[in-house]
Amino acid sequence: MGDAVELEAGGRTVRLSHPDKVFFPERGFTKLDLAQYYLAVGPGILRALRDRPTTLERYPDGLAGEWFFQKRAPKNMPDWIPTAHITFPSGRSADEMCPTEEGAVVWAAQYGTLTFHPWPVRRADVDRPDELRIDLDPQPGTDYADAVRAAGELRAVLEEFGGLRGFPKTSGGRGLHVFVPIEPRWTFTQVRRAAIAVGREMERRMPDHVTIKWWKEERGEKIFVDYNQTARDRTIASAYSVRPRPHAPVSAPLRWEEVGDAHPRDFDLATMPARFAALGDVHADMDDHRYSLEALLELATKDEHDHGLGDLPYPPEYPKMPGEPKRVQPSRARKPKQAAEGD
C-alpha cells in the first residue's frame, strides 16, 4: 500500500502509514486523501475541536471494514495531545483526547478517524457546556428542504428569546445542526431543558412540520428537534468532519444566507478544500460570542407552570432521571383498566 509518508501539520511532523489504503471505495479516496483534507481545513476543524473532549469515530480499514467509537484516549497517543477527565451518565469515567493543534487531527486520521465528536464543553470545565446544540433531524418522508424551513423558524426563536445567534451547518446527511455559543454557567441538565424549550416553541409555531416527540412512532413526516443531543455524553459531529457515507460528505459550516441554496451533497472531501481556501472558516468568529440561556429557561418555566409541560424521556442507556416521565413507547404502554359497567 505504499511506503509511509510524513506530513507537516502546524509545526508537527505526523507519520502516515499505508497512505494508499482506500477508505472510500466508491470515490477512490485514500487515507492520504483523508489526511490531506484535514490539513486543508485545519484551522476550521481545530476551531471546532480546540480543548474539547473528543470521541473518535474510527474506520481503520475504511468504509469496507469494521468501525467503532473510541471514547478513551488511545494508549499510543502522543504526550503533546492533552486529555480531559470526563464522567458518563453511568458514573464511569475516562480520559478523552482534547485537540489543541492541527497535528492532533492528522494523527487521529492516521488511525482511521473519519468523524470527530466533540463534547460541548472545554477541558477547563467539563461539567458546564459552552454550546447549545440544536439538531434538526429529518424523519422519513422529509428531506433537507424541510430542515431548511425549520431552521428559518429556529433562527427567529433564538433571536426572540435572548437575542441568540446560531451558527448553522449541514449534518453531512439530510439534516442541519445549529450551534449557539453560550456562557459556561449551566449544567447539562439545564442546557437540555433550554433545548426542550426551543423544540416546544418551534412545535407550537410549526405544528405540521416540526416535532419534539421522542418516540419515532409519534413523529410522523416532520423535522425532529433532537433535544437529547444536549444530554451528557451525547455528541454531534464537528464542523468539517468527514461522514462515513460512500460519497465522503462533510459537515459543512454555512452562513445563514447560504442555508436555503446549499445542499448537503455540495460538500465533500473533494470540494470542501476549495471552499475553505476561498472563504476560510465561515464560523471563525463563533468563539467571540457568548450568550445567556436565561430567556429560554424562563420559557421552560412558563411551559411547566402554564401548560404542565415537564421533562421528556432520556435515551434508553441513561439512568432514570428526576422528574422524567415513563420511558416506554406509547404503543407498549400499559393501558389503564376501564371500570366495569355498574361500578
Side-chain angles (χ1 to χ4, degrees):
M1 293 187 182
D3 296 331
V5 297
E6 292 187 341
L7 300 176
E8 293 298 318
R12 295 283 182 187
T13 299
V14 181
R15 183 177 182 274
L16 199 76
S17 63
H18 307 304
D20 297 334
K21 180 185 288 186
V22 175
F23 271 27
F24 292 88
E26 183 177 289
R27 303 286 301 275
F29 295 139
T30 64
K31 181 196 280 191
L32 181 59
D33 292 327
L34 176 70
Q36 289 178 330
Y37 164 78
Y38 280 126
L39 283 174
V41 300
I45 192 165
L46 182 59
R47 188 268 310 155
L49 300 178
R50 189 188 302 275
D51 282 322
R52 298 190 183 281
T54 300
T55 297
L56 309 179
E57 187 175 349
R58 292 179 54 189
Y59 289 73
D61 295 311
L63 287 190
E66 296 183 356
W67 66 278
F68 56 95
F69 288 104
Q70 179 142 13
K71 294 187 176 184
R72 298 177 185 277
K75 293 182 179 179
N76 63 340
M77 193 173 71
D79 57 12
W80 50 267
I81 301 178
T83 62
H85 194 72
I86 48 90
T87 302
F88 304 117
S90 65
R92 289 184 290 183
S93 62
D95 293 322
E96 286 204 353
M97 73 175 292
C98 295
T100 56
E101 51 186 283
E102 294 172 28
V105 179
V106 178
W107 177 86
Q110 148 65 15
Y111 291 96
T113 300
L114 298 188
T115 307
F116 295 83
H117 296 267
W119 281 48
V121 300
R122 310 278 182 167
R123 60 190 173 114
D125 187 350
V126 296
D127 294 316
R128 305 275 174 174
D130 69 346
E131 287 180 348
L132 169 65
R133 298 173 173 180
I134 307 297
D135 181 5
L136 301 177
D137 185 9
Q139 299 304 289
T142 64
D143 56 20
Y144 177 77
D146 298 294
V148 168
R149 185 176 178 183
E153 194 61 51
L154 169 61
R155 188 183 186 187
V157 169
L158 293 174
E159 174 62 31
E160 183 174 336
F161 291 92
L164 310 182
R165 176 186 170 189
F167 290 75
K169 68 183 184 70
T170 65
S171 67
R174 297 182 302 133
L176 277 166
H177 302 151
V178 178
F179 287 8
V180 181
I182 61 174
E183 300 166 4
R185 294 168 45 194
W186 296 277
T187 64
F188 278 94
T189 302
Q190 291 170 312
V191 174
R192 178 179 174 274
R193 187 164 172 256
I196 290 173
V198 168
R200 283 178 168 148
E201 182 64 20
M202 290 182 65
E203 192 176 51
R204 280 190 288 267
R205 298 183 182 197
M206 307 181 75
D208 295 330
H209 302 284
V210 170
T211 181
I212 199 170
K213 301 291 187 184
W214 175 246
W215 303 107
K216 291 183 179 180
E217 64 187 34
E218 294 186 306
R219 293 178 190 169
E221 295 184 0
K222 299 180 182 180
I223 298 298
F224 172 49
V225 181
D226 190 353
Y227 61 89
N228 268 331
Q229 291 290 37
T230 54
R232 179 184 288 272
D233 192 34
R234 295 290 283 234
T235 56
I236 294 177
S238 77
Y240 300 102
S241 272
V242 179
R243 306 311 308 274
R245 295 180 174 86
H247 61 288
V250 304
S251 181
L254 300 173
R255 295 171 295 200
W256 275 109
E257 58 267 26
E258 297 179 293
V259 170
D261 295 327
H263 190 277
R265 291 192 74 99
D266 296 338
F267 312 104
D268 60 31
L269 191 148
T271 62
M272 180 55 83
R275 172 180 167 86
F276 194 89
L279 301 178
D281 179 14
V282 298
H283 289 181
D285 67 331
M286 187 172 173
D287 288 338
D288 296 337
H289 305 274
R290 284 289 174 265
Y291 297 102
S292 171
L293 290 181
E294 290 177 356
L296 284 177
L297 292 173
E298 288 174 4
L299 176 62
T301 299
K302 183 178 179 181
D303 282 342
E304 292 164 4
H305 290 174
D306 296 355
H307 306 292
L309 299 174
D311 203 357
L312 293 172
Y314 274 79
E317 70 272 17
Y318 281 64
K320 183 69 174 178
M321 301 296 286
E324 181 187 2
K326 290 183 178 180
R327 199 182 298 174
V328 57
Q329 64 190 74
S331 61
R332 294 187 178 182
R334 187 175 295 176
K335 302 295 190 295
K337 294 182 179 180
Q338 293 186 351
E341 187 175 350
D343 284 0

